[in-house]
Amino acid sequence: MRARESNDRGMSLIEVLVATAIMAVAVVVALTVYDASRKAFSKGENATEQQESVRIAFDLMTSQIRMLGLNANPDGDPARPDEQLEGALDHAIIFRGDFDRMDPATALTPETSLAGGAFRTVSTGNDEIVAYVLSKPDGTGPDTITFQADVKESQRDGSVEPVAISNVVLNPTSPPYTLYRITLENNQAAYGSPGFLVRTPVVENVRDLTFAYYGTSGTFEDASATIPENVPAKGTRSGLTRVHISLVGMTRQQDLNYVDPSDPASAHHRKFELKGDVTPRNMRFKGIQDLNADVTPPTKPA
């Protein structure tokens, strides 16, 4: 019987163990690289998605604030208590405008039924009183904003009632927050009930929302969550010429390799700010411009 040649022998145990170890190291390295790539991709994807969501929210908010005051006083009645800018807080804003005037289905509903009381013409329903505020992710908050508006009766009677917007955050020190757009229910019978406030979430994972208001005499704001309704305060708000808006979004997930020393409350969340100035060109206007009017100057007689 012929003996086995030396080059036909199998692998020894040591060689098998070495090969297995090398393969295990290679697999671990590959998995580590893959996991790092996956996390980096996930972080980038989440950041991009959140940036896009914040930008859409910012564009919506600025487009409506740009229309602040549109046709709020259609007949120029000096007795009308409605304000174009109802509340000017540093972390919230309340305003009104005839936002649905170009929509034939909603432009006169319920505006037509609101007229005929103290005012022959009404152009803004309760749903055109708009507030942008912050709340906690579950919709709660420790603060309440109170302002006055003529919103209770089926016809506008010229007298105002208190409107309380609860569950808001006016001192955003424990993020994240959700940006809400709040309007009022057109059904006046709902006044005083929880359903009178219509809360619509706009974007989640917000770090901060701030407003700066500029008027004819410099900057101003309502210092209290109870909006003052005296003549000087209303006169100051009516002098609005420009609003500076800052909306800061934050990533949903923490990045433990990132530290923001200026913001201990969310130090490991990356943030991105959108900011800009808005000029509400309808402030102090009565009614809306008649684009069909003939403004051609008369010709001189020959």
Side-chain angles (χ1 to χ4, degrees):
M1 183 174 180
R2 190 175 60 176
R4 182 186 298 271
E5 298 291 339
S6 61
N7 57 359
D8 290 337
R9 67 183 179 85
M11 296 179 63
S12 67
L13 178 60
I14 294 178
E15 290 173 327
V16 171
L17 292 176
V18 170
T20 302
I22 293 174
M23 182 176 293
V25 170
V27 170
V28 169
V29 170
L31 289 176
T32 302
V33 172
Y34 169 77
D35 187 59
S37 301
R38 182 186 60 80
K39 289 181 178 179
F41 176 79
S42 178
K43 290 176 183 178
E45 186 179 38
N46 289 338
T48 301
E49 179 182 338
Q50 183 64 8
Q51 285 178 356
E52 184 64 22
S53 298
V54 171
R55 181 169 296 280
I56 292 173
F58 183 81
D59 289 345
L60 170 66
M61 183 168 53
T62 55
S63 66
Q64 292 207 326
I65 293 176
R66 188 170 289 110
M67 295 174 64
L68 184 160
L70 175 65
N71 198 30
N73 191 348
D75 52 14
D77 192 328
R80 194 181 301 269
D82 298 339
E83 293 184 73
Q84 295 171 306
L85 177 62
E86 291 280 1
L89 295 165
D90 53 355
H91 296 289
I93 188 171
I94 309 169
F95 57 96
R96 75 171 69 230
D98 190 7
F99 300 120
D100 63 3
R101 73 181 186 90
M102 299 301 293
D103 187 342
T106 59
L108 301 179
T109 305
E111 286 82 351
T112 300
S113 64
L114 298 176
F119 310 105
R120 61 183 178 88
T121 304
V122 174
S123 58
T124 58
N126 288 357
D127 61 335
E128 293 174 287
I129 301 173
V130 178
Y132 280 99
V133 303
L134 295 179
S135 294
K136 295 295 289 181
D138 60 358
T140 64
D143 302 310
T144 298
I145 304 172
T146 303
F147 67 102
Q148 306 285 327
D150 184 7
V151 296
K152 182 179 179 182
E153 289 74 24
S154 58
Q155 289 182 323
R156 298 291 197 227
D157 63 356
S159 63
V160 295
E161 297 83 30
V163 178
I165 301 178
S166 59
N167 289 312
V168 302
V169 175
L170 297 178
N171 184 26
T173 56
S174 301
Y177 303 102
T178 297
L179 172 64
Y180 279 88
R181 180 182 184 270
I182 297 179
T183 61
L184 306 182
E185 174 59 55
N186 274 325
N187 179 11
Q188 285 76 19
Y191 175 79
S193 70
F196 189 60
L197 297 181
V198 181
R199 303 171 66 95
T200 304
V202 180
V203 65
E204 300 175 332
N205 295 299
V206 173
R207 173 60 186 92
D208 201 1
L209 170 68
T210 56
F211 300 95
Y213 306 91
Y214 297 83
T216 54
S217 301
T219 60
F220 68 91
E221 67 178 42
D222 292 318
S224 169
T226 300
I227 307 300
E229 301 291 336
N230 54 60
V231 173
K234 295 177 73 171
T236 299
R237 288 193 293 269
S238 69
L240 177 72
T241 58
R242 178 167 55 97
V243 184
H244 180 78
I245 308 168
S246 170
L247 179 63
V248 182
M250 57 188 291
T251 53
R252 181 179 293 105
Q253 299 174 345
Q254 295 190 73
D255 182 355
L256 298 181
N257 295 319
Y258 169 80
V259 178
D260 181 359
S262 65
D263 187 13
S266 55
H268 295 294
H269 291 269
R270 295 185 181 272
K271 304 167 191 73
F272 28 88
E273 179 183 20
L274 294 176
K275 59 182 179 180
D277 290 349
V278 175
T279 300
R281 301 189 181 278
N282 297 287
M283 286 300 299
R284 297 174 296 283
F285 280 9
K286 305 296 190 295
I288 57 176
Q289 181 181 1
D290 183 0
L291 298 179
N292 295 319
D294 184 3
V295 294
T296 304
T299 57
K300 293 182 179 180

